Amino acid sequence: MSNNILVKSLYREQKDFANKEIKISGWIRTLRASNAFGFIELNDGSFFKNVQIVLDANKLENFKDISKLPISSSISVIGTLVETPDAKQPFEIQANQIIVEGMSSSDYPLQKKRHTFEYLRTIAHLRPRSNAFSAVFRVRSVAAYAIHKFFQERGFVYTHTPILTGSDAEGAGEMFRVTTLDLNNIPKTEEGKIDYSEDFFGKETNLTVSGQLNGESFALAFRNIYTFGPTFRAENSNTARHAAEFWMIEPEISFADLKDDMELAEDMLKFVINYVMEECPEELEFFNQFIDKGLLERLNHVVTSDFGKVTYTDAVELLQKSDKKFEYPVEWGIDLQTEHERYLTEEIFKRPVFVTDYPKDIKAFYMRLNEDGKTVAAMDCLVPGIGEIIGGSQREERLDVLKKKMAELNLNEEDYWWYLELRKYGETPHSGFGLGFERLIMYITGMTNIRDVIPFPRTTGQSDF
Amino acid sequence: MSNNILVKSLYREQKDFANKEIKISGWIRTLRASNAFGFIELNDGSFFKNVQIVLDANKLENFKDISKLPISSSISVIGTLVETPDAKQPFEIQANQIIVEGMSSSDYPLQKKRHTFEYLRTIAHLRPRSNAFSAVFRVRSVAAYAIHKFFQERGFVYTHTPILTGSDAEGAGEMFRVTTLDLNNIPKTEEGKIDYSEDFFGKETNLTVSGQLNGESFALAFRNIYTFGPTFRAENSNTARHAAEFWMIEPEISFADLKDDMELAEDMLKFVINYVMEECPEELEFFNQFIDKGLLERLNHVVTSDFGKVTYTDAVELLQKSDKKFEYPVEWGIDLQTEHERYLTEEIFKRPVFVTDYPKDIKAFYMRLNEDGKTVAAMDCLVPGIGEIIGGSQREERLDVLKKKMAELNLNEEDYWWYLELRKYGETPHSGFGLGFERLIMYITGMTNIRDVIPFPRTTGQSDF
C-alpha cells in the first residue's frame, strides 16, 4: 500500500501528477451514478477538500457494485489525474480500477443532510468525518504544533509538569480526587479518618489545575520554559465555555518583568494565528463562510494590530465613563466580567488589549505586589469576540513579601517549602502566563461551544467514548 | 531587560559578538576570587555550557561583594566578549558591571561536590540546575519537539485523546479512579452499592491507560494521526522502569498494514535520535562521558542500521538454539522477557530488530488475527541496551472476527459500541504503535532510572512537588 499518494499532495503539487496514473485511498463522501457514468467525492483525511473520482462503466469491471456503495465506504482508486481548469474543482481522477477496502452500512449516520452540532456530539467517534469537525480538529493539530514551534525556535524548554499532584497549587478551582482505595471499604485510622497511607501515593492526591508552580522551578534553571498539557477543573458549571478536562499552555520566563511577559504573549498569539492562516487556508475559508462571517477579518486584524495596554484602574474609569449599561455595574475592586472585557477590546480599543495591574485581592497569591501596595503586576489579554484569552503576571520573587501574603491567606508554608526555596536560592524577576488552548481554538475557528473543539469532551455528567 | 543575550547565542554566533559589549544574566555555578581577580562560571539555562566571567577589582566597584556571592546567586553581567582560542573555553566575558539580581543562601544544597541521583530526587525543584539534569530535561524537550516535527511534516493530525475515561480501554493495566464523591460519606443506592450517579460524570471514571481506541476513530477520519500525552498505571511496582504517570506517543495509520507500521516506527526512531544528536551535541557528549560510555556509538549504530525483522516463532527457535542460559526458559507461547529481548537484539541481530506475529493469547484483543489462526499481526521493536521500546500491531478491522475475539475474552460489546461501529462504517486495514516517551529518553541519554527522566516523577508512594 506504500505507493499510495495523499490527497494533500495532489492539491499542493498538482502539476507533478497531471496525466499520470496514481493510487489514492479514502472514504466516499458522496456518490452519484447513472448506468454509464458516476462521480465520487472522495476524502482521504489528509486534506480538507475532496477529490472527484470519475467512474466510466466501460472502463471499470465492477462499475455496478461501486455505484451502489454506501456513503463512508472506503476504497482505493487507481486512476489518471486530469486537470480541469474550467470546472469547479481543479482536477479529477479518471478511475481505471477501484478496490473496495471496507463497505459501509446504509444506516451510516452522517448522511449528506446537515446535522446539528448537538447531535454530532453523540457520535463523537464519527464526527471528524464531517466538514466542520474535520476542519476544527486539523486546525487544533496545526495550532498545537505552532505553539511548540514558536517556543522551541526561541529555545524554550518544554516541561512536562505533573498531572497527579499532592498539593492544591493555587486553589485555582475544584479538584478531582485520584485514588486506588476501595470505595466500598474505605480504610480508616483509629481516629475514624480516611487512612490515606493506604492509598497509592500515601496521601491525598488530585488532578492538577495548573503546572505553573512546577514550571517556575524549571524556569529558574532553564531561564525560559513552557508547559503544554491537560489540566482539570471539577466545577459543576454547564456552560459553553467550560470543560472538566482541557489543555493549557503555560510559559514561564526568568529575568523578565510584566512588559516582557506581554511582549511574549502578543508575539505568540500572532505567530500561532499566522501559522494556522498559512497552513489551513481551506479550513479558515470554510469557517468564515459557514460558522462565523467575520472570522478572517478579525484574525487579520489581530495579527496586524499592536495590542493596546491599559491599567485596570484606567480601564474601570473608561468603562464608568461609557454610556453602555452593563449587567454588572463597574467599580474599582470588582473582577471584570466578559461583558466589560468585550466592551473594552471591541468598542473602546477596537483591537486586542492588555489590562494590567489588577487589585491584589482578586488575584492569586504568587503575583508580584506593586509599589502602591494595592495592585499586583498581573495582566489579562482581551481579544474581540471572546474577552479574556490569556492571564499572566510577574511572580512575587521577594521571599518576605511572598510569605506575608501567604500568611494573610492562611496558606501553609510547609506545603510550599520547595516553592519558597526557589526564592531563597537565586531568585530573579520572572513572569509567565496561561493560555487555555481550547479557548484559542474557539477563537481561531469561530466555534462557540468548547465541546466542539475537543475530540472527546469531558463535562459535567459526560465522559462517554 | 530585553537587550539581554542568551548564552546559547554567544556559543552559536561567537564571531558576531567578539569584542562587543553585551549583557547576559544567569546563575553562578562556581566562583573563585583573589583580592585582585575573580572568575565566575555562569549558566543561564539556555545552553548546557557555562560562560566564564572575568572579574577585575580595578574595573568593578562592587568587586568585593560579588566575590563573596554564594553559589546559585543570580546576576546580570555587562561586559565584553573576548575570544580565547588558546584556553579551554572558546571565549570569556570581561565584566564591566555586575548587578546582583537575587542573592542565594550559603546552604544551597547543590554545592560543587557530586551528589547521588537518589539525593537529587529529593530536591526535584533544584536538580535541573545540575549538569546531568540540565542535560536530561533539555534532551527531553528537544526529543518531544522532534516527535511533533516528524509527524506534522508528514501531515499526521495530532489528536488529544481523553485523559478521563469511562471505559477501561484494553485492560492494559490497573487504573486510577477519579472522583468528586465525598470519601467520608460515599452515597449509596438502595441496594447498598456506590451511587455513581452522584459522581461528577455520573458513572465510574478512571485515568486513561492508552489513547489508542480513540486514536483509531480519528485515524479513520484523518487517515494518519498521532497522540502524545500522559497515561497512567496504578501498578504497585517499585522498579527503575515503571512510573504511575508517563507520556506516550501513539500513531495510528489507515490503509496501512504491519509492514507500513514497522517502516513508520523505524523512520520515527531514526528521525528523533538524529534530531537530538544535531540539536544537543554537548548534552550527548556529557552523557557519553559520565553516564554511559557506549552511548554515542550505540545511537550512531541505530540511525545507520536497517532494523532486522524476525517472526516470534523464528525468534523462539533462535533463542532455544543459543547457548545462553536464561533465567526464564524459552518456549513457544511465552511472553518474551527483557533478557530474551536483549539477547535477540544485542547478540543475535546486533542491531534493532522487530519481532512480529506473536501468539494471539499473549496479545490484546484488537490485534489482527493472522491466517494461521494462532498468531496476530503484532510487532515489538527491540533495541540494544534496553529491549522493547515500541509495541504495535495491525488492528482487527473485520467486525465478525473482532466480535468473536471479544466474546472469548468476555468483553461487553455495549461498552465498545462506538469502537465496533468504526468497523461498520468504512473499515480499512489500519495499524499503529505505542512508544513510551520516558523509555525513549532513557535510551537516548543512558539514564537508567525512569525517575531521573521525568521532571517530577510519580511512583508508588511518591507524589511530592
Side-chain angles (χ1 to χ4, degrees):
Chain A
M1 317 191 187
S2 307
N3 297 316
N4 216 307
I5 309 286
L6 296 181
V7 168
K8 183 174 183 179
S9 306
L10 300 185
Y11 272 93
R12 294 285 189 248
E13 301 139 41
Q14 178 186 323
K15 291 276 164 258
D16 297 350
F17 293 105
N19 305 314
K20 291 192 180 140
E21 188 176 81
I22 52 161
K23 181 179 177 186
I24 59 173
S25 300
W27 292 269
I28 297 174
R29 284 277 178 93
T30 69
L31 185 155
R32 57 204 159 86
S34 68
N35 287 331
F37 284 98
F39 299 93
I40 287 174
E41 293 281 328
L42 192 73
N43 191 290
D44 81 341
S46 73
F47 196 60
F48 182 67
K49 292 192 172 171
N50 304 320
V51 175
Q52 173 149 291
I53 313 291
V54 181
L55 318 176
D56 180 341
N58 290 325
K59 275 164 65 180
L60 294 171
E61 273 181 32
N62 54 353
F63 177 85
K64 263 200 172 159
D65 293 340
I66 298 296
S67 65
K68 280 183 252 165
L69 282 176
I71 302 302
S72 198
S73 295
S74 61
I75 57 174
S76 290
V77 179
I78 296 167
T80 309
L81 187 146
V82 177
E83 297 188 294
T84 52
D86 299 328
K88 212 179 96 193
Q89 66 282 354
F91 60 86
E92 60 188 26
I93 311 291
Q94 295 179 352
N96 302 321
Q97 192 191 338
I98 292 188
I99 303 137
V100 179
E101 303 276 358
M103 196 163 107
S104 184
S105 169
S106 58
D107 64 347
Y108 178 64
L110 271 171
Q111 298 295 332
K112 216 187 163 185
K113 75 179 165 84
R114 225 185 133 139
H115 298 285
T116 64
F117 288 153
E118 287 75 13
Y119 169 69
L120 292 173
R121 278 174 219 145
T122 68
I123 49 168
H125 60 310
L126 300 176
R127 68 175 178 170
R129 303 181 189 192
S130 69
N131 278 330
F133 289 97
S134 142
V136 165
F137 294 124
R138 195 186 323 276
V139 164
R140 187 177 168 114
S141 167
V142 168
Y145 186 52
I147 296 278
H148 284 296
K149 201 171 164 68
F150 174 81
F151 287 114
Q152 294 272 347
E153 287 177 355
R154 281 155 189 77
F156 283 57
V157 169
Y158 179 33
T159 304
H160 287 138
T161 52
I163 311 298
L164 301 171
T165 173
S167 69
D168 141 338
E170 45 162 312
E174 291 293 311
M175 300 180 90
F176 286 102
R177 174 65 40 86
V178 175
T179 183
T180 53
L181 293 178
D182 177 358
L183 300 193
N184 279 306
N185 190 11
I186 302 252
K188 296 279 169 83
T189 62
E190 284 182 12
E191 297 89 49
K193 290 187 173 168
I194 298 167
D195 186 1
Y196 283 108
S197 74
E198 302 221 353
D199 208 348
F200 191 89
F201 294 108
K203 64 176 178 179
E204 293 184 48
T205 305
N206 299 305
L207 292 179
T208 186
V209 294
S210 161
Q212 180 200 314
L213 306 194
N214 298 92
E216 283 186 52
S217 115
F218 269 55
L220 291 166
F222 289 109
R223 183 160 180 163
N224 295 326
I225 68 100
Y226 69 109
T227 74
F228 188 177
T231 47
F232 303 86
R233 295 279 190 289
E235 270 151 31
N236 238 312
S237 55
N238 209 352
T239 81
R241 288 159 56 97
H242 293 89
E245 173 181 331
F246 56 98
W247 285 62
M248 275 236 284
I249 295 112
E250 297 182 287
E252 198 69 33
I253 49 179
S254 291
F255 303 103
D257 59 19
L258 193 66
K259 194 169 149 287
D260 300 312
D261 204 32
M262 289 188 281
E263 254 180 52
L264 182 70
E266 181 170 342
D267 288 350
M268 181 200 67
L269 277 183
K270 287 177 174 174
F271 181 92
V272 174
I273 293 172
N274 267 321
Y275 190 79
V276 173
M277 290 200 297
E278 274 163 35
E279 296 291 321
C280 301
E282 291 81 6
E283 283 82 355
L284 292 188
E285 189 51 59
F286 170 85
F287 292 126
N288 195 59
Q289 199 174 339
F290 295 107
I291 305 290
D292 179 350
K293 300 270 180 221
L295 181 73
L296 281 177
E297 196 190 327
R298 204 172 64 229
L299 294 179
N300 274 309
H301 183 57
V302 168
V303 295
T304 53
S305 301
D306 282 326
F307 291 15
K309 288 199 182 79
V310 63
T311 65
Y312 169 89
T313 303
D314 288 349
V316 164
E317 208 170 300
L318 286 168
L319 289 167
Q320 284 172 331
K321 277 198 287 197
S322 79
D323 297 333
K324 173 85 174 172
K325 284 274 160 276
F326 295 109
E327 193 185 338
Y328 294 90
V330 178
E331 59 177 277
W332 201 96
I334 66 154
D335 215 350
L336 296 181
Q337 302 296 313
T338 303
E339 57 171 342
H340 309 133
E341 293 174 344
R342 291 190 57 174
Y343 190 81
L344 279 166
T345 176
E346 290 167 18
E347 302 299 326
I348 299 183
F349 282 85
K350 299 186 196 303
R351 58 190 166 126
V353 60
F354 289 103
V355 179
T356 65
D357 304 296
Y358 284 78
K360 65 174 178 166
D361 293 337
I362 59 171
K363 288 291 184 184
F365 78 93
Y366 51 71
M367 297 190 178
R368 192 177 197 278
L369 190 65
N370 285 330
E371 297 293 302
D372 62 16
K374 291 192 307 184
T375 61
V376 287
M379 62 91 164
D380 280 0
C381 179
L382 316 180
V383 291
I386 204 161
E388 186 208 327
I389 195 165
I390 283 174
S393 77
Q394 188 167 342
R395 314 312 189 185
E396 185 56 77
E397 87 280 13
R398 296 161 298 186
L399 186 58
D400 52 336
V401 184
L402 184 59
K403 280 186 171 174
K404 198 168 152 239
K405 179 76 188 183
M406 287 174 64
E408 280 170 32
L409 296 172
N410 289 318
L411 293 173
N412 191 344
E413 281 188 21
E414 275 170 39
D415 293 343
Y416 294 84
W417 68 272
W418 60 270
Y419 187 70
L420 292 168
E421 278 200 359
L422 299 178
R423 275 71 184 163
K424 192 176 162 194
Y425 299 124
E427 34 125 334
T428 82
H430 64 288
S431 302
F433 63 80
L435 165 70
F437 186 56
E438 280 74 14
R439 205 165 277 190
L440 176 66
I441 302 304
M442 290 166 77
Y443 188 60
I444 295 179
T445 61
M447 300 294 282
T448 54
N449 194 310
I450 197 168
R451 291 166 181 80
D452 296 330
V453 300
I454 300 177
F456 301 93
R458 272 74 179 100
T459 53
T460 316
Q462 170 57 41
S463 64
D464 291 342
F465 300 100
Chain B
M1 314 190 189
S2 308
N3 295 317
N4 215 307
I5 310 287
L6 295 181
V7 167
K8 183 173 183 178
S9 306
L10 300 185
Y11 271 93
R12 294 284 189 248
E13 299 137 44
Q14 179 185 322
K15 291 274 166 258
D16 297 348
F17 294 105
N19 306 314
K20 293 195 179 137
E21 189 176 81
I22 51 160
K23 181 180 178 186
I24 59 174
S25 301
W27 293 268
I28 297 175
R29 284 276 178 92
T30 70
L31 185 156
R32 58 206 158 85
S34 67
N35 287 332
F37 283 99
F39 300 93
I40 287 173
E41 293 282 327
L42 193 74
N43 191 289
D44 82 342
S46 73
F47 195 61
F48 182 68
K49 291 191 173 172
N50 303 321
V51 174
Q52 173 149 292
I53 314 292
V54 181
L55 318 176
D56 181 340
N58 291 324
K59 275 164 62 179
L60 293 171
E61 273 181 31
N62 54 353
F63 177 84
K64 262 200 174 158
D65 293 340
I66 298 296
S67 66
K68 281 183 251 164
L69 281 176
I71 302 302
S72 197
S73 296
S74 60
I75 57 174
S76 289
V77 179
I78 295 167
T80 308
L81 187 145
V82 177
E83 296 189 294
T84 52
D86 299 330
K88 211 179 95 195
Q89 67 281 355
F91 60 87
E92 62 188 26
I93 310 291
Q94 295 178 351
N96 302 320
Q97 192 191 337
I98 292 187
I99 303 138
V100 179
E101 302 277 358
M103 197 163 108
S104 184
S105 168
S106 59
D107 63 349
Y108 179 64
L110 270 171
Q111 299 295 335
K112 216 186 162 184
K113 74 180 166 80
R114 223 185 134 138
H115 298 285
T116 64
F117 288 153
E118 288 74 13
Y119 170 69
L120 291 173
R121 279 175 218 143
T122 68
I123 50 167
H125 60 311
L126 300 176
R127 69 177 176 168
R129 303 181 191 192
S130 69
N131 278 331
F133 289 97
S134 142
V136 165
F137 294 124
R138 195 187 322 278
V139 164
R140 187 177 167 112
S141 167
V142 168
Y145 186 53
I147 297 278
H148 284 296
K149 201 171 165 68
F150 174 80
F151 287 114
Q152 293 273 345
E153 286 177 356
R154 281 155 190 76
F156 283 56
V157 170
Y158 178 32
T159 304
H160 287 138
T161 51
I163 311 298
L164 301 171
T165 172
S167 70
D168 141 338
E170 44 162 313
E174 290 294 310
M175 300 180 91
F176 286 102
R177 174 65 40 87
V178 175
T179 183
T180 53
L181 293 178
D182 178 359
L183 300 193
N184 279 306
N185 190 10
I186 302 254
K188 297 278 168 83
T189 62
E190 284 182 11
E191 298 87 51
K193 290 187 173 166
I194 298 167
D195 186 0
Y196 283 108
S197 74
E198 302 219 356
D199 208 348
F200 191 89
F201 294 108
K203 63 176 179 179
E204 294 185 46
T205 305
N206 298 305
L207 291 179
T208 185
V209 292
S210 160
Q212 180 199 316
L213 305 194
N214 298 92
E216 282 185 53
S217 116
F218 268 55
L220 291 167
F222 289 109
R223 183 160 181 164
N224 295 326
I225 67 101
Y226 70 108
T227 73
F228 189 176
T231 47
F232 303 86
R233 296 278 190 290
E235 270 151 32
N236 237 312
S237 55
N238 209 353
T239 81
R241 288 159 57 96
H242 292 90
E245 172 181 331
F246 56 98
W247 285 62
M248 273 236 284
I249 295 112
E250 297 182 286
E252 197 70 33
I253 49 179
S254 291
F255 303 103
D257 58 20
L258 193 66
K259 194 170 147 286
D260 300 312
D261 205 31
M262 289 188 280
E263 254 180 52
L264 182 70
E266 181 169 343
D267 289 350
M268 182 200 67
L269 278 182
K270 288 177 173 173
F271 181 93
V272 174
I273 293 172
N274 268 321
Y275 190 80
V276 173
M277 291 201 297
E278 274 163 34
E279 295 291 319
C280 302
E282 291 82 6
E283 283 82 356
L284 292 189
E285 189 53 57
F286 171 85
F287 293 126
N288 194 59
Q289 198 173 342
F290 295 106
I291 305 290
D292 178 352
K293 300 269 181 224
L295 181 73
L296 281 176
E297 194 189 328
R298 204 172 62 229
L299 294 180
N300 274 309
H301 183 57
V302 168
V303 295
T304 52
S305 300
D306 281 326
F307 291 15
K309 287 197 183 78
V310 62
T311 65
Y312 169 91
T313 302
D314 289 348
V316 164
E317 207 170 301
L318 287 168
L319 290 168
Q320 284 173 332
K321 276 198 288 198
S322 78
D323 298 333
K324 173 87 175 172
K325 284 273 160 278
F326 295 109
E327 192 185 339
Y328 294 90
V330 178
E331 59 176 277
W332 201 96
I334 67 155
D335 215 352
L336 297 181
Q337 302 296 314
T338 303
E339 57 171 341
H340 310 133
E341 293 174 343
R342 291 189 57 174
Y343 191 81
L344 279 167
T345 176
E346 290 167 17
E347 303 300 325
I348 300 183
F349 283 85
K350 300 186 195 302
R351 57 189 167 128
V353 60
F354 289 103
V355 179
T356 65
D357 304 296
Y358 283 79
K360 64 176 179 164
D361 293 338
I362 59 171
K363 288 291 183 183
F365 78 93
Y366 50 71
M367 297 189 177
R368 192 179 197 278
L369 190 65
N370 285 329
E371 296 293 302
D372 61 18
K374 291 191 307 185
T375 61
V376 288
M379 61 92 164
D380 279 2
C381 180
L382 315 180
V383 290
I386 204 160
E388 186 208 327
I389 195 164
I390 283 175
S393 76
Q394 186 166 341
R395 314 312 187 186
E396 184 57 78
E397 86 280 13
R398 296 161 297 186
L399 187 57
D400 52 336
V401 183
L402 184 59
K403 280 187 172 175
K404 197 169 154 238
K405 179 77 188 184
M406 288 174 63
E408 279 170 32
L409 296 171
N410 289 317
L411 294 174
N412 192 343
E413 282 189 20
E414 274 169 41
D415 293 342
Y416 294 84
W417 69 271
W418 61 269
Y419 187 69
L420 292 169
E421 277 199 1
L422 299 177
R423 275 70 185 163
K424 191 175 163 194
Y425 300 125
E427 33 127 334
T428 82
H430 64 289
S431 302
F433 63 80
L435 166 69
F437 186 57
E438 280 74 14
R439 205 164 278 189
L440 176 67
I441 302 304
M442 291 166 76
Y443 188 60
I444 296 179
T445 60
M447 300 294 282
T448 53
N449 195 310
I450 196 168
R451 292 166 182 79
D452 296 330
V453 299
I454 299 178
F456 301 93
R458 272 74 179 99
T459 53
T460 315
Q462 171 56 41
S463 64
D464 291 343
F465 300 101

